[in-house]
Each structure stands twice: as structure tokens, then as C-alpha cells.
Amino acid sequence: MLEEIIIAGFGGQGVMSMGQLIAYAGMLEGKGVSWLPSYGPEQRGGTANCAVVVSDEPVGSPLVTRPSTAIVLNNPSFDKFEPRVRPGGILMLNSSLVVRTSERKDIKIIEISATDMANDLGNSRVANMILLGAFLEQTKMVSIDSVIESLKKVLSVDKHHLIAINKEALQKGASLIAVPIT
């Protein structure tokens, strides 16, 4: 198993924490992992993305140029990363914020109105966790339980009270894939 993932959006959308959670969960499960952040020149609100590699073997390089999955949280990231997803890969979009649509027929496109769903849960900042839950259910790359355990490392101690809402958001996202809407 080798998954090469790009997660991209604006700073403050939880792009980096999504990548860290996948990497920590992979480590907990004994997989080879890498996490490589990339920030735009702006401060909060600027572009941000990270590359995450999870493998059953040691990871040879943290660079991801043709991701097996791109999780996209804004329009500029769609423009940049949609063409790079390798054939047979996955493009996951936060359709609450990404207004563009992919015309590609060689990839699986998953559109989730994650921000709207997060608002329904009472916290717009967990949109990233809804997308992550859906991604994990789709790929089975690492378990949601490992990600929940990893939240204790990624979130500072003063934010541990948010673990419950993050868990709820992960489960909400997973349920969207487990029982597809037709």
C-alpha cells in the first residue's frame, strides 16, 4: 500500500493538522509515513498545502507530484492540484467552498459540503475533519480510531475539549461514504 496525498486550502482551514493526523495515525499503526508542509508567502488566510505519504514500506521521498488523492478546500487549490491527481486517483472537494467542477473522467470525484455540515454540528472549524473522515472511510488507509488517538498529539492540551466534536465530525464524514447517498 502506498498513498500519496495532497491536502490544500487556505491557512486556518486545518490543512496542516489533517496531514499531521494522517501521519501520526500511520505511525501508530506501524506504517512508513512522511508529512511535508508548504505555506504561501501570506500569513493566516494565505494558501497552504501539505504532502503526506503513507506506505507499508519505508517512505523514500516526502515529495508528492502526482498524488493518489487530493483533498481540496478552496478554489485556488482546485486549480493547482486537480490536474495533478493521477489517473485512478481521488479528488475530494469541500463543495461548500469550491465552486469549480472537475470534468475529468479518469478519477473518482467526491464532493462534500463539509463547511455546511460542520456548521450543522455547531462548529465550522471541523469541516476538515468531515473531509478526513470521508477520506479514511473511502481508502481504509488508517483507522479513524488511530486518528482520534492522534488528536491528543496534534491538539494542544488546552484544546483537548475539542476532541469530542472532532470525533463526531470524523464519524459524520465516514458515514457519508459508508452509506452513499443516491
Side-chain angles (χ1 to χ4, degrees), residues 80-139:
K80 183 173 183 178
F81 294 109
E82 182 260 357
R84 296 185 190 183
V85 177
R86 72 175 70 135
I90 299 169
L91 175 64
M92 183 171 286
L93 307 172
N94 179 355
S95 60
S96 298
L97 301 176
V98 177
V99 297
R100 293 166 178 58
T101 304
S102 178
E103 301 298 322
R104 291 185 58 183
K105 304 293 184 216
D106 63 337
I107 60 175
K108 181 176 183 88
I109 301 164
I110 302 171
E111 296 182 7
I112 297 174
S113 55
T115 302
D116 296 335
M117 291 178 183
N119 285 330
D120 291 345
L121 291 176
N123 187 334
S124 64
R125 297 186 56 85
V126 297
N128 63 335
M129 293 294 102
I130 292 171
L131 292 166
L132 182 56
F135 169 71
L136 295 175
E137 183 65 28
Q138 180 69 41
T139 64

Side-chain angles (χ1 to χ4, degrees), residues 18-93:
M18 287 173 73
Q20 287 177 319
L21 287 168
I22 293 169
Y24 274 120
M27 285 191 298
L28 285 175
E29 295 181 10
K31 298 181 185 334
V33 301
S34 70
W35 173 75
L36 183 65
S38 177
Y39 301 91
E42 309 88 351
Q43 291 189 6
R44 186 177 182 89
T47 58
N49 69 76
C50 65
V52 183
V53 180
V54 179
S55 176
D56 290 331
E57 304 291 327
V59 175
S61 171
L63 300 177
V64 175
T65 56
R66 299 282 293 163
S68 50
T69 300
I71 303 173
V72 174
L73 285 79
N74 65 9
N75 288 316
S77 297
F78 176 91
D79 294 340
K80 183 173 183 178
F81 294 109
E82 182 260 357
R84 296 185 190 183
V85 177
R86 72 175 70 135
I90 299 169
L91 175 64
M92 183 171 286
L93 307 172

